[in-house]
Structures are given as C-alpha cells and as structure tokens.
Amino acid sequence: GQQVMQIPQYQHVQEGEDFTTYCNSSTTLSNIQWYKQRPGGHPVFLIQLVKSGEVKKQKRLTFQFGEAKKNSSLHITATQTTDVGTYFCAGPPNDYKLSFGAGTTVTVRA
Amino acid sequence: KAGVTQTPRYLIKTRGQQVTLSCSPISGHRSVSWYQQTPGQGLQFLFEYFSETQRNKGNFPGRFSGRQFSNSRSEMNVSTLELGDSALYLCASSLGGGTNDNEQFFGPGTRLTVL
C-alpha cells in the first residue's frame, strides 16, 4: 500500500534560521496536504497542493509539490518560536482516505 | 461555524472494558474520519464514514468499530481494551466529496488511558 515518509523526524532550529522538511510517497499522489500540530493541540490544515510542480507560499512558509507528484517539501524561513510543533504531510491513497507521514517535530532555540 | 467537537476529552479505563467515543462534525460536513495518535506511531487511520456508510477502513483489529448517524455525528467503539490502546483518538470531518474536498478539520481529541 501507499506509504508517505517524512524526513527528518526531528528538527532543532536556531531562531532566525531556515529549514526544510521533506515528504516522499511510494506512489503518485493526486494531491498532498500539510498540517501543523502544536504541542498539546490537534492537527490544523495548512495547505493542499494539487498540480505537478506547484509552489504555494504562506508568509514565511513555502510549500512545493514535486514534478512527479511523489514528493513535497515545506520550507520555513527565519524560524520563529511560533513555528514550534509537528508538521505532517498527508496524501490520499484514494479519494476518501488520507495517509499521514510520521511528522517532523520542530523545536526552536531562542 | 462551530468546530469539530469530541466527547469525552479524557477517559480512563481498565483492560477488558469497552469504550465509546463521540464526534460531532462541522455543520454540513458529511465525512467523519477517525485516527489514533501515539508518540511512536504518528497518526494512524482507523476508518472513515460518509452518509452513514463506512467507506474506508485502516488496519486495526475488529475490536475497533464505528458508526455514523443520519445527522453525521459519529461514534467509535473499542471493545476488550488493551494497554496498547492508550492513545489520543482524533476525529476529523470534511466535506467528503472527493479528492479536492477532503481537507480534514480535526477535533481536540479524546485522550484514552488504559490501566
């Protein structure tokens, strides 16, 4: 079955630095979604990418969908303490089900 | 619009007991999915209901079951609880119309502890 893999599992970042987290699928995805879960909270939808090579930005966050639609990345610039949390990517093995990656847990050093 | 609500928020049970968790989706959302979240396993898909029918099922034993009512509210039941069932159980609702309508809106979760 489809598996969505995320790397790295943990990311320790100095405040102000940039970092990238990656998501890879064993199969082609019709779309990919990204979620953020703050410590003690629940996952919150960030964005959905649908088109091959698509790039979307949300302030300091840049999301990219690979040309082959099998990988995606989230790049955060000038990391802030508000970026702390776990970032999940999720892809649908079919129209009505999402397969979540294990997540990248981000901590920030002030 | 009110968000997804889940009850109870916290639950403590002992091995062998059964438990029922409840989820009320966002008004207008017909799809409800359930996930189990544990520190080591991440978000594991349990099942998804749409218009009272189970459309998808994850790889969990038959002790885990669910249902959806005509008002889209959903319940999840776990029978014969085991220690390993301790987890955060998250419910998520979506429009459920297909690939571009499956943005998940998560509830706060039910923290289940099995002793």
Side-chain angles (χ1 to χ4, degrees):
Chain A
Q2 178 206 20
Q3 282 194 317
V4 177
M5 312 296 290
Q6 271 187 269
I7 53 169
Q9 186 177 359
Y10 298 98
Q11 184 81 55
H12 308 289
V13 189
Q14 181 72 41
E15 191 173 16
E17 290 186 341
D18 302 351
F19 76 90
T20 303
T21 176
Y22 299 90
C23 181
N24 296 294
S25 170
S26 55
T27 59
T28 301
L29 299 169
S30 56
N31 67 69
I32 194 154
Q33 300 179 10
W34 285 88
Y35 293 79
K36 177 183 179 180
Q37 185 174 22
R38 295 180 185 274
H42 56 273
V44 174
F45 175 82
L46 293 176
I47 208 160
Q48 177 173 282
L49 304 172
V50 180
K51 298 177 183 176
S52 168
E54 188 172 14
V55 178
K56 287 188 177 180
K57 292 189 176 184
Q58 289 181 349
K59 298 182 180 177
R60 295 177 296 102
L61 277 62
T62 301
F63 303 84
Q64 187 164 7
F65 203 6
E67 293 292 338
K69 301 183 75 173
K70 295 178 74 173
N71 56 72
S72 180
S73 64
L74 160 58
H75 181 77
I76 299 182
T77 59
T79 304
Q80 300 176 359
T81 55
T82 54
D83 295 324
V84 165
T86 300
Y87 294 83
F88 294 96
C89 63
N94 60 47
D95 277 351
Y96 311 116
K97 176 181 174 181
L98 280 180
S99 177
F100 279 80
T104 294
T105 298
V106 176
T107 54
V108 179
R109 299 189 299 273
Chain B
K1 273 185 181 176
V4 178
T5 59
Q6 290 187 246
T7 56
R9 293 293 310 278
Y10 302 92
L11 206 49
I12 299 176
K13 291 285 187 179
T14 57
R15 279 181 299 174
Q17 287 187 308
Q18 75 165 17
V19 66
T20 299
L21 312 181
S22 182
C23 171
S24 291
I26 290 172
S27 177
H29 284 189
R30 296 167 66 188
S31 170
V32 173
S33 297
W34 288 89
Y35 297 86
Q36 181 194 66
Q37 187 173 36
T38 57
Q41 299 296 319
L43 276 163
Q44 299 293 314
F45 174 81
L46 281 154
F47 28 64
E48 185 250 359
Y49 288 88
F50 181 85
S51 293
E52 302 178 67
T53 300
Q54 188 183 85
R55 280 197 306 197
N56 278 283
K57 191 176 188 304
N59 298 320
F60 278 80
R63 300 186 295 108
F64 292 82
S65 63
R67 59 177 176 169
Q68 187 180 34
F69 302 96
S70 58
N71 62 358
S72 293
R73 190 177 70 84
S74 178
E75 287 183 347
M76 189 190 101
N77 184 274
V78 188
S79 62
T80 320
L81 284 166
E82 300 177 359
L83 295 178
D85 296 333
S86 294
L88 179 67
Y89 289 88
L90 291 160
C91 158
S93 75
S94 72
L95 291 170
T99 300
N100 294 325
D101 282 334
N102 63 354
E103 170 189 340
Q104 307 281 291
F105 292 82
F106 283 85
T110 294
R111 174 75 61 185
L112 172 65
T113 302
V114 181
L115 302 176

